[in-house]
Amino acid sequence: MINVLVTGANGQLGSELKHIHNKGIVKFDRSVNFVFTDIDTLDISNPIFLKKFFQDHSFDFVINCAAYTNVDLAETEKEKAYNVNATCVKNIVEAIKERNLSLTKFIHISTDYVFDGKSHIPYTEEMQTNPKSVYGKSKLEGEIFALQYKNSMVIRTSWLYSSYGKNFAKTIHKLCNERESLNVVFDQIGTPTYAYDLAYAIFQIVKQSVSENRFISGIYHFSNEGVCSWYDFAKLIANKAKSNCVVNPIESKDYPTPVARPFYSVLNKNKIKSNYKLVIPFWQDSLDEYFNITDNK
Ligand SMILES: NC(=O)c1ccc[n+]([C@@H]2O[C@H](COP(=O)([O-])OP(=O)(O)OC[C@H]3O[C@@H](n4cnc5c(N)ncnc54)[C@H](OP(=O)(O)O)[C@@H]3O)[C@@H](O)[C@H]2O)c1
Protein backbone atom coordinates (compact mmCIF):
# COMPACT_ATOMS: atom_id res chain seq x y z
CA MET A 1 0.00 0.00 0.00
CA ILE A 2 1.28 3.45 -0.99
CA ASN A 3 0.36 6.20 1.49
CA VAL A 4 0.02 9.81 0.38
CA LEU A 5 -0.42 12.74 2.77
CA VAL A 6 -1.93 16.00 1.47
CA THR A 7 -1.68 19.08 3.71
CA GLY A 8 -3.76 22.23 3.20
CA ALA A 9 -6.31 20.02 1.46
CA ASN A 10 -9.25 22.43 1.86
CA GLY A 11 -7.64 25.06 -0.37
CA GLN A 12 -8.03 25.36 -4.14
CA LEU A 13 -5.33 22.88 -5.13
CA GLY A 14 -5.99 20.49 -2.26
CA SER A 15 -9.72 20.42 -3.12
CA GLU A 16 -8.91 19.57 -6.75
CA LEU A 17 -6.63 16.73 -5.58
CA LYS A 18 -9.50 15.49 -3.40
CA HIS A 19 -11.92 15.76 -6.33
CA ILE A 20 -9.65 13.70 -8.62
CA HIS A 21 -9.21 11.10 -5.87
CA ASN A 22 -12.92 10.92 -4.93
CA LYS A 23 -14.01 10.54 -8.56
CA GLY A 24 -11.31 7.93 -9.28
CA ILE A 25 -10.16 9.97 -12.29
CA VAL A 26 -6.57 8.66 -12.13
CA LYS A 27 -6.17 4.90 -11.80
CA PHE A 28 -3.12 3.36 -10.13
CA ASP A 29 -1.81 -0.13 -10.70
CA ARG A 30 -1.18 -0.48 -6.94
CA SER A 31 -3.38 0.44 -3.97
CA VAL A 32 -2.83 4.04 -3.04
CA ASN A 33 -4.28 5.50 0.15
CA PHE A 34 -4.71 9.28 0.34
CA VAL A 35 -4.92 11.13 3.67
CA PHE A 36 -6.29 14.65 3.21
CA THR A 37 -5.62 17.09 6.06
CA ASP A 38 -5.94 20.82 6.69
CA ILE A 39 -5.23 23.13 9.60
CA ASP A 40 -8.05 21.62 11.70
CA THR A 41 -6.63 18.07 11.48
CA LEU A 42 -2.92 18.68 10.85
CA ASP A 43 -1.63 22.14 11.71
CA ILE A 44 1.82 22.15 10.11
CA SER A 45 2.83 25.17 12.21
CA ASN A 46 2.86 22.90 15.27
CA PRO A 47 6.19 21.03 14.99
CA ILE A 48 5.57 18.81 18.04
CA PHE A 49 2.19 17.64 16.79
CA LEU A 50 3.60 17.26 13.26
CA LYS A 51 6.50 15.07 14.47
CA LYS A 52 4.08 12.95 16.52
CA PHE A 53 1.84 12.60 13.45
CA PHE A 54 4.81 11.40 11.40
CA GLN A 55 5.82 9.00 14.19
CA ASP A 56 2.32 7.49 14.11
CA HIS A 57 1.99 7.30 10.30
CA SER A 58 4.32 6.39 7.49
CA PHE A 59 3.99 8.20 4.16
CA ASP A 60 5.49 7.46 0.76
CA PHE A 61 4.47 10.91 -0.54
CA VAL A 62 3.81 14.22 1.18
CA ILE A 63 2.11 16.87 -0.96
CA ASN A 64 2.16 20.27 0.72
CA CYS A 65 -0.69 22.48 -0.53
CA ALA A 66 -0.85 24.48 2.72
CA ALA A 67 0.15 28.10 2.33
CA TYR A 68 -0.48 31.69 3.30
CA THR A 69 -1.71 33.05 -0.05
CA ASN A 70 -3.02 36.57 0.63
CA VAL A 71 -0.37 38.54 -1.27
CA ASP A 72 -1.45 42.02 -0.10
CA LEU A 73 -2.14 41.12 3.53
CA ALA A 74 1.24 39.37 3.76
CA GLU A 75 2.87 42.84 3.72
CA THR A 76 1.33 43.57 7.14
CA GLU A 77 1.08 39.96 8.41
CA LYS A 78 4.72 39.26 7.61
CA GLU A 79 5.33 36.92 10.54
CA LYS A 80 2.30 34.78 9.71
CA ALA A 81 3.25 34.58 6.02
CA TYR A 82 6.84 33.51 6.82
CA ASN A 83 5.58 31.04 9.41
CA VAL A 84 3.21 29.18 7.04
CA ASN A 85 5.22 29.56 3.81
CA ALA A 86 8.71 28.97 5.18
CA THR A 87 8.93 27.68 8.79
CA CYS A 88 6.13 25.15 8.23
CA VAL A 89 7.99 23.72 5.22
CA LYS A 90 11.04 23.31 7.45
CA ASN A 91 8.79 21.60 10.03
CA ILE A 92 7.60 19.07 7.43
CA VAL A 93 11.12 18.32 6.20
CA GLU A 94 12.37 17.88 9.79
CA ALA A 95 9.44 15.59 10.65
CA ILE A 96 10.19 13.43 7.59
CA LYS A 97 13.90 13.32 8.40
CA GLU A 98 13.39 12.64 12.12
CA ARG A 99 11.16 9.67 11.33
CA ASN A 100 13.99 8.58 9.01
CA LEU A 101 11.58 8.22 6.11
CA SER A 102 14.38 8.64 3.60
CA LEU A 103 12.27 7.17 0.80
CA THR A 104 9.39 9.61 1.32
CA LYS A 105 8.89 11.89 -1.67
CA PHE A 106 8.03 15.48 -0.86
CA ILE A 107 6.10 17.63 -3.36
CA HIS A 108 5.93 21.29 -2.38
CA ILE A 109 4.10 24.06 -4.26
CA SER A 110 5.59 27.50 -4.89
CA THR A 111 4.91 30.56 -7.00
CA ASP A 112 5.91 32.73 -9.96
CA TYR A 113 6.17 35.60 -7.42
CA VAL A 114 9.70 34.41 -6.57
CA PHE A 115 10.67 36.33 -9.75
CA ASP A 116 10.75 40.11 -10.15
CA GLY A 117 8.86 40.11 -13.46
CA LYS A 118 11.58 41.93 -15.42
CA SER A 119 12.15 39.11 -17.90
CA HIS A 120 10.77 39.20 -21.45
CA ILE A 121 11.16 35.47 -22.00
CA PRO A 122 9.40 32.69 -20.09
CA TYR A 123 11.12 31.97 -16.78
CA THR A 124 13.05 28.70 -16.60
CA GLU A 125 13.82 26.97 -13.30
CA GLU A 126 17.45 28.13 -13.49
CA MET A 127 16.71 31.84 -13.86
CA GLN A 128 17.58 34.25 -11.07
CA THR A 129 14.89 34.70 -8.41
CA ASN A 130 14.31 38.16 -6.96
CA PRO A 131 10.98 38.33 -5.12
CA LYS A 132 9.56 41.80 -4.52
CA SER A 133 6.80 40.98 -2.03
CA VAL A 134 6.75 39.44 1.46
CA TYR A 135 4.66 36.62 -0.03
CA GLY A 136 7.27 35.94 -2.75
CA LYS A 137 10.16 36.16 -0.28
CA SER A 138 8.46 33.82 2.19
CA LYS A 139 7.71 31.31 -0.59
CA LEU A 140 11.33 31.44 -1.78
CA GLU A 141 12.51 30.69 1.76
CA GLY A 142 10.06 27.75 1.79
CA GLU A 143 11.60 26.44 -1.45
CA ILE A 144 15.06 26.52 0.12
CA PHE A 145 13.84 24.51 3.13
CA ALA A 146 12.05 22.02 0.86
CA LEU A 147 15.16 21.46 -1.26
CA GLN A 148 17.27 20.70 1.81
CA TYR A 149 15.60 17.29 1.68
CA LYS A 150 16.97 15.16 -1.17
CA ASN A 151 13.64 13.69 -2.33
CA SER A 152 11.88 17.02 -2.88
CA MET A 153 10.13 18.50 -5.87
CA VAL A 154 9.20 22.18 -5.79
CA ILE A 155 6.51 23.04 -8.34
CA ARG A 156 6.14 26.76 -9.04
CA THR A 157 2.80 27.75 -10.48
CA SER A 158 1.00 30.98 -11.38
CA TRP A 159 -2.46 32.65 -11.35
CA LEU A 160 -4.20 29.63 -9.79
CA TYR A 161 -7.99 29.41 -10.05
CA SER A 162 -10.61 26.76 -9.41
CA SER A 163 -14.31 26.32 -8.75
CA TYR A 164 -13.15 25.83 -5.12
CA GLY A 165 -11.98 28.66 -2.88
CA LYS A 166 -11.44 32.32 -3.67
CA ASN A 167 -9.69 33.44 -6.84
CA PHE A 168 -9.64 36.01 -9.65
CA ALA A 169 -11.80 33.94 -12.04
CA LYS A 170 -14.57 33.47 -9.47
CA THR A 171 -14.46 37.13 -8.44
CA ILE A 172 -14.70 38.38 -12.05
CA HIS A 173 -17.38 35.79 -12.81
CA LYS A 174 -19.47 37.17 -9.93
CA LEU A 175 -18.73 40.86 -10.52
CA CYS A 176 -19.49 40.78 -14.24
CA ASN A 177 -23.00 39.59 -13.38
CA GLU A 178 -23.46 42.42 -10.87
CA ARG A 179 -21.79 45.44 -12.48
CA GLU A 180 -22.09 47.37 -15.73
CA SER A 181 -18.33 47.79 -16.08
CA LEU A 182 -15.04 46.58 -14.62
CA ASN A 183 -11.50 47.93 -14.91
CA VAL A 184 -8.77 45.29 -15.20
CA VAL A 185 -5.01 45.71 -15.70
CA PHE A 186 -3.64 44.80 -19.13
CA ASP A 187 0.07 45.40 -18.48
CA GLN A 188 0.70 42.35 -16.26
CA ILE A 189 1.34 39.28 -18.38
CA GLY A 190 1.30 35.67 -17.23
CA THR A 191 -0.61 32.42 -17.58
CA PRO A 192 -3.67 31.31 -15.63
CA THR A 193 -3.46 27.84 -14.11
CA TYR A 194 -6.61 25.81 -13.62
CA ALA A 195 -5.92 24.09 -10.28
CA TYR A 196 -7.53 20.90 -11.60
CA ASP A 197 -4.81 20.69 -14.29
CA LEU A 198 -2.05 21.12 -11.71
CA ALA A 199 -3.70 18.52 -9.44
CA TYR A 200 -3.96 16.14 -12.40
CA ALA A 201 -0.25 16.68 -13.19
CA ILE A 202 0.64 15.92 -9.54
CA PHE A 203 -1.36 12.68 -9.80
CA GLN A 204 0.60 11.79 -12.95
CA ILE A 205 3.88 12.43 -11.12
CA VAL A 206 2.82 10.23 -8.18
CA LYS A 207 1.60 7.55 -10.61
CA GLN A 208 4.86 7.55 -12.61
CA SER A 209 6.84 7.48 -9.41
CA VAL A 210 4.85 4.46 -8.15
CA SER A 211 4.78 2.46 -11.39
CA GLU A 212 8.01 3.53 -13.16
CA ASN A 213 10.11 4.64 -10.18
CA ARG A 214 10.31 8.05 -11.88
CA PHE A 215 10.71 10.82 -9.29
CA ILE A 216 13.24 13.44 -10.31
CA SER A 217 13.77 15.94 -7.52
CA GLY A 218 14.38 19.66 -8.07
CA ILE A 219 12.46 22.76 -9.13
CA TYR A 220 9.74 22.62 -11.80
CA HIS A 221 7.43 25.15 -13.43
CA PHE A 222 3.78 24.44 -14.20
CA SER A 223 0.98 26.65 -15.57
CA ASN A 224 -1.49 26.20 -18.39
CA GLU A 225 -0.22 26.74 -21.94
CA GLY A 226 -0.39 30.17 -23.55
CA VAL A 227 -0.03 33.73 -22.32
CA CYS A 228 -2.45 36.57 -21.48
CA SER A 229 -2.97 39.68 -19.39
CA TRP A 230 -5.40 39.87 -16.46
CA TYR A 231 -7.56 41.99 -18.78
CA ASP A 232 -7.64 39.24 -21.45
CA PHE A 233 -8.48 36.70 -18.75
CA ALA A 234 -11.31 38.86 -17.34
CA LYS A 235 -12.67 39.67 -20.81
CA LEU A 236 -12.93 35.98 -21.68
CA ILE A 237 -14.59 35.20 -18.33
CA ALA A 238 -17.20 37.93 -18.99
CA ASN A 239 -17.79 36.57 -22.52
CA LYS A 240 -18.18 32.99 -21.31
CA ALA A 241 -20.54 34.18 -18.55
CA LYS A 242 -22.59 35.83 -21.36
CA SER A 243 -22.44 39.06 -19.38
CA ASN A 244 -23.07 42.54 -20.82
CA CYS A 245 -20.53 43.99 -18.39
CA VAL A 246 -17.95 46.17 -20.17
CA VAL A 247 -14.40 45.18 -19.22
CA ASN A 248 -12.00 48.13 -19.57
CA PRO A 249 -8.22 47.72 -19.88
CA ILE A 250 -6.28 49.87 -17.40
CA GLU A 251 -2.62 50.23 -16.41
CA SER A 252 -1.26 48.93 -13.10
CA LYS A 253 -0.40 52.50 -12.08
CA ASP A 254 -4.14 53.24 -12.10
CA TYR A 255 -4.90 50.24 -9.86
CA PRO A 256 -2.64 50.63 -6.84
CA THR A 257 -2.32 47.60 -4.54
CA PRO A 258 -0.34 47.29 -1.26
CA VAL A 259 2.32 45.37 -3.18
CA ALA A 260 3.23 45.62 -6.86
CA ARG A 261 2.79 42.44 -8.93
CA PRO A 262 5.41 41.24 -11.43
CA PHE A 263 4.75 42.67 -14.91
CA TYR A 264 5.80 39.43 -16.56
CA SER A 265 5.57 36.01 -14.95
CA VAL A 266 5.21 33.51 -17.79
CA LEU A 267 6.75 30.17 -16.80
CA ASN A 268 8.71 27.88 -19.12
CA LYS A 269 7.31 24.38 -18.59
CA ASN A 270 9.66 22.34 -20.78
CA LYS A 271 11.30 20.54 -17.84
CA ILE A 272 8.10 19.19 -16.26
CA LYS A 273 6.66 18.30 -19.69
CA SER A 274 9.70 16.32 -20.75
CA ASN A 275 10.53 14.67 -17.39
CA TYR A 276 6.94 13.57 -16.77
CA LYS A 277 5.58 13.26 -20.32
CA LEU A 278 2.81 15.76 -19.54
CA VAL A 279 0.44 17.33 -22.04
CA ILE A 280 -0.73 20.62 -20.56
CA PRO A 281 -4.04 22.18 -21.69
CA PHE A 282 -4.23 25.68 -23.26
CA TRP A 283 -5.53 28.18 -20.69
CA GLN A 284 -8.68 29.05 -22.69
CA ASP A 285 -9.65 25.36 -22.96
CA SER A 286 -9.24 24.99 -19.22
CA LEU A 287 -11.42 28.04 -18.65
CA ASP A 288 -14.11 26.21 -20.66
CA GLU A 289 -13.73 23.27 -18.26
CA TYR A 290 -14.05 25.63 -15.29
CA PHE A 291 -17.32 26.98 -16.77
CA ASN A 292 -18.61 23.45 -17.42
CA ILE A 293 -18.03 22.60 -13.75
CA THR A 294 -19.39 25.83 -12.25
CA ASP A 295 -22.46 25.88 -14.54
CA ASN A 296 -23.31 22.35 -13.41
CA LYS A 297 -22.71 22.98 -9.68
N1 LIG B 1 -3.58 31.14 -5.40
C1 LIG B 1 -2.72 31.49 -6.38
O1 LIG B 1 -3.03 32.31 -7.26
C2 LIG B 1 -1.36 30.87 -6.41
C3 LIG B 1 -0.47 31.27 -7.40
C4 LIG B 1 0.79 30.68 -7.45
C5 LIG B 1 1.15 29.73 -6.51
N2 LIG B 1 0.27 29.38 -5.54
C6 LIG B 1 0.70 28.35 -4.56
O2 LIG B 1 -0.08 27.19 -4.79
C7 LIG B 1 -0.29 26.49 -3.56
C8 LIG B 1 -1.77 26.20 -3.40
O3 LIG B 1 -2.45 27.45 -3.37
P1 LIG B 1 -4.03 27.54 -3.11
O4 LIG B 1 -4.52 28.69 -3.90
O5 LIG B 1 -4.64 26.20 -3.25
O6 LIG B 1 -4.03 27.96 -1.57
P2 LIG B 1 -5.28 28.20 -0.65
O7 LIG B 1 -6.54 28.03 -1.40
O8 LIG B 1 -5.03 29.49 0.09
O9 LIG B 1 -5.17 26.97 0.37
C9 LIG B 1 -4.17 26.88 1.33
C10 LIG B 1 -4.72 25.98 2.43
O10 LIG B 1 -3.71 25.85 3.43
C11 LIG B 1 -4.34 25.94 4.69
N3 LIG B 1 -3.40 26.27 5.75
C12 LIG B 1 -2.97 27.50 6.13
N4 LIG B 1 -2.17 27.39 7.21
C13 LIG B 1 -2.08 26.06 7.51
C14 LIG B 1 -1.43 25.34 8.52
N5 LIG B 1 -0.69 25.93 9.46
N6 LIG B 1 -1.56 23.98 8.53
C15 LIG B 1 -2.30 23.35 7.60
N7 LIG B 1 -2.98 24.01 6.63
C16 LIG B 1 -2.87 25.35 6.58
C17 LIG B 1 -5.37 27.01 4.47
O11 LIG B 1 -6.32 27.04 5.52
P3 LIG B 1 -7.03 28.48 5.85
O12 LIG B 1 -7.81 28.84 4.64
O13 LIG B 1 -7.85 28.15 7.06
O14 LIG B 1 -5.90 29.44 6.12
C18 LIG B 1 -5.95 26.57 3.14
O15 LIG B 1 -6.95 25.58 3.30
C19 LIG B 1 0.32 27.37 -2.48
O16 LIG B 1 1.62 26.91 -2.18
C20 LIG B 1 0.41 28.74 -3.11
O17 LIG B 1 1.45 29.52 -2.56
C21 LIG B 1 -0.97 29.91 -5.47
Side-chain angles (χ1 to χ4, degrees):
M1 170 77 81
I2 301 291
N3 288 303
V4 183
L5 172 68
V6 180
T7 57
N10 293 344
Q12 297 190 75
L13 179 60
S15 298
E16 295 286 8
L17 286 166
K18 234 185 276 177
H19 169 79
I20 291 175
H21 171 259
N22 291 344
K23 297 274 175 198
I25 293 168
V26 175
K27 308 268 182 252
F28 291 90
D29 50 20
R30 289 180 62 183
S31 349
V32 181
N33 171 47
F34 277 81
V35 177
F36 291 97
T37 62
D38 205 281
I39 192 159
D40 50 342
T41 44
L42 182 62
D43 180 352
I44 58 169
S45 69
N46 183 336
I48 296 167
F49 183 71
L50 194 63
K51 280 181 186 166
K52 170 91 177 61
F53 189 85
F54 274 80
Q55 292 300 334
D56 295 344
H57 306 86
S58 175
F59 294 105
D60 301 282
F61 293 87
V62 176
I63 304 170
N64 182 29
C65 302
Y68 179 103
T69 53
N70 191 323
V71 177
D72 287 327
L73 205 55
E75 296 299 308
T76 43
E77 293 192 346
K78 194 173 169 182
E79 208 176 309
K80 198 171 170 192
Y82 270 94
N83 184 33
V84 182
N85 292 340
T87 311
C88 284
V89 183
K90 181 166 159 254
N91 293 344
I92 294 175
V93 163
E94 283 177 353
I96 295 173
K97 282 183 176 170
E98 192 166 304
R99 174 74 156 78
N100 202 13
L101 296 169
S102 58
L103 295 177
T104 300
K105 279 123 183 134
F106 181 39
I107 300 177
H108 175 66
I109 314 302
S110 192
T111 171
D112 55 331
Y113 282 23
V114 296
F115 295 113
D116 60 18
K118 291 184 180 156
S119 178
H120 296 287
I121 55 163
Y123 282 101
T124 63
E125 291 78 358
E126 293 75 32
M127 282 167 82
Q128 184 62 51
T129 53
N130 185 23
K132 292 298 181 194
S133 58
V134 168
Y135 170 72
K137 288 175 187 166
S138 66
K139 292 294 294 184
L140 182 60
E141 201 169 301
E143 289 187 1
I144 294 165
F145 284 131
L147 293 167
Q148 282 172 2
Y149 176 62
K150 66 179 169 66
N151 277 335
S152 287
M153 266 185 86
V154 168
I155 306 178
R156 293 181 184 140
T157 191
S158 63
W159 299 20
L160 208 58
Y161 72 99
S162 161
S163 59
Y164 301 101
K166 280 192 205 154
N167 54 67
F168 178 85
K170 271 174 103 171
T171 304
I172 297 293
H173 193 173
K174 179 171 174 284
L175 290 182
C176 73
N177 288 324
E178 295 170 358
R179 296 205 190 157
E180 286 181 0
S181 70
L182 284 174
N183 296 336
V184 183
V185 296
F186 74 96
D187 54 1
Q188 292 170 28
I189 308 297
T191 313
T193 304
Y194 186 33
Y196 174 92
D197 294 334
L198 175 55
Y200 187 82
I202 292 172
F203 262 85
Q204 295 306 319
I205 291 165
V206 172
K207 186 175 168 164
Q208 289 176 37
S209 181
V210 170
S211 57
E212 298 167 34
N213 203 17
R214 181 199 300 273
F215 185 89
I216 310 160
S217 45
I219 301 176
Y220 289 86
H221 288 173
F222 184 98
S223 68
N224 279 119
E225 294 287 12
V227 173
C228 69
S229 70
W230 288 111
Y231 164 77
D232 301 323
F233 191 22
K235 185 91 181 126
L236 196 61
I237 291 165
N239 286 350
K240 288 190 188 296
K242 299 187 175 57
S243 157
N244 292 325
C245 174
V246 178
V247 182
N248 299 309
I250 59 163
E251 291 178 56
S252 299
K253 69 175 174 51
D254 298 321
Y255 187 78
T257 49
V259 63
R261 270 50 175 179
F263 278 108
Y264 183 90
S265 67
V266 179
L267 300 174
N268 179 317
K269 303 169 291 286
N270 288 345
K271 184 176 171 188
I272 202 161
K273 286 195 287 187
S274 66
N275 279 3
Y276 290 99
K277 298 174 278 183
L278 298 179
V279 179
I280 303 178
F282 177 48
W283 71 269
Q284 294 190 12
D285 296 337
S286 292
L287 190 61
D288 281 338
E289 289 301 317
Y290 161 85
F291 270 91
N292 286 340
I293 298 279
T294 44
D295 288 350
N296 293 322
K297 256 189 178 176

